[in-house]
């Protein structure tokens, strides 16, 4: 399908008891797709393995069921695609392609720092979607660290200004689900 999810995950398969820092009500509300209708942004923040991508896919799936177009793209793929389009003189084309789906999910922002060019291109993309389409971003970095992620605090501030204006922030604390499962089964102590 169009969404290009990396794996199938749904809300029914999410163990909320394992992640008490998550407000179930907030996730259920996001799953209704109201934030998409309103063109708002969602930030899923937290350390690796706590379920950010799982929830992003599950929310994306609910959005499709509700009839919205969804595109899932890893941040590194997005940046590589924009950079390639830029060198090929097709950046404009890509900047109009990504805003098309009603919900754009950008996964794992912050695992790799952006080059200055990439930060600017991402900013242009966010600006085009701003108040037109919904954006869901997952990141292992707190928003205070985004200056480092974008290697440019001015661009980072401009991006955050647009993302945080109408936004839902879900901050997940706690340990990796996989490590937790291993610990529980006695494989780790
Ligand atoms: P993150 O994106 O935060 O690094 P993932 O969403 O990729 O983490 O989660 C890692 C793995 O653990 C995935 O297979 C995911 O389905 C599973 N997982 C994480 N948290 C939960 C949870 N609370 N309930 C069920 N599975 C979970
Ligand atoms: Mg992830």
């Amino acid at each position: 399908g169009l969404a290009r999810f990396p794996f199938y995950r749904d809300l029914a398969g999410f163990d909320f008891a394992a992640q008490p820092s998550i407000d179930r009500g907030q996730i259920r509300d996001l799953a209704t797709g109201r934030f998409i209708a309103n063109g708002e942004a969602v930030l899923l923040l937290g350390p690796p393995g706590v379920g950010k991508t799982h929830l992003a896919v599950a929310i994306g799936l609910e959005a499709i069921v509700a009839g919205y177009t969804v595109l899932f793209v890893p941040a590194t793929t997005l940046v590589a695609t924009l950079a390639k389009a830029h060198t090929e003189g097709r950046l404009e084309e890509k900047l109009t392609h990504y805003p098309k789906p009603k919900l754009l999910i950008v996964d794992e922002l912050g695992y790799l720092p952006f080059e200055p060019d990439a930060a600017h291109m991402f900013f242009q993309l966010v600006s085009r979607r701003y108040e037109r389409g919904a954006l869901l971003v997952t990141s292992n970095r707190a928003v205070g660290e985004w200056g480092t992620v974008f290697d440019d605090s001015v661009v980072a501030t401009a991006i955050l200004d647009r993302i945080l204006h109408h936004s839902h922030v879900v901050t997940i604390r706690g340990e990796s689900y996989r490590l937790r499962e291993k610990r529980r089964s006695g494989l780790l102590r």
Side-chain angles (χ1 to χ4, degrees):
L2 183 83
R4 305 212 189 109
F5 294 132
F7 48 44
Y8 177 92
R9 293 290 186 282
D10 57 22
L11 282 184
F14 194 80
D15 179 3
F16 282 95
Q19 217 54 262
S21 66
I22 299 177
D23 174 355
R24 282 183 207 220
Q26 187 183 19
I27 302 298
R28 283 213 196 88
D29 183 57
L30 293 173
T32 64
R34 195 169 25 234
F35 79 98
I36 305 170
N38 295 339
E40 294 167 348
V42 175
L43 284 182
L44 294 179
L45 307 175
V50 294
K52 300 182 298 296
T53 302
H54 184 139
L55 288 173
V57 169
I59 291 167
L61 212 57
E62 295 290 330
I64 289 172
V65 171
Y68 294 109
T69 47
V70 178
L71 180 63
F72 181 108
V73 62
T76 49
T77 305
L78 177 64
V79 165
T81 307
L82 291 177
K84 184 164 177 281
H86 185 52
T87 54
E88 291 171 355
R90 294 186 298 107
L91 181 61
E92 189 54 37
E93 190 186 306
K94 284 293 168 193
L95 285 173
T96 46
H97 163 74
Y98 281 111
K100 276 184 186 143
K102 282 288 172 196
L103 172 62
L104 178 67
I105 301 176
V106 179
D107 194 36
E108 313 212 320
L109 193 81
Y111 277 93
L112 287 176
F114 281 28
E115 300 288 328
D117 269 3
H120 278 97
M121 287 186 262
F122 186 72
F123 171 70
Q124 287 184 55
L125 181 64
V126 168
S127 298
R128 299 231 184 165
R129 286 196 69 81
Y130 182 58
E131 287 180 340
R132 246 174 280 166
L135 181 67
L136 188 157
V137 175
T138 80
S139 181
N140 62 326
R141 304 297 197 95
V143 291
E145 296 175 284
W146 283 28
T148 323
V149 170
F150 291 105
D151 202 25
D152 183 325
S153 61
V154 176
V155 172
T157 304
I159 289 170
L160 280 170
D161 184 58
R162 280 160 179 75
I163 293 181
L164 294 177
H165 184 212
H166 301 290
S167 72
H168 307 263
V169 181
V170 179
T171 303
I172 311 175
R173 281 169 286 268
E175 69 170 337
S176 156
Y177 189 76
R178 287 203 193 97
L179 289 182
R180 178 183 184 274
E181 292 301 287
K182 281 200 180 122
R183 199 185 313 280
R184 291 185 133 208
S185 59
L187 292 170
L188 271 179
R189 282 196 303 141

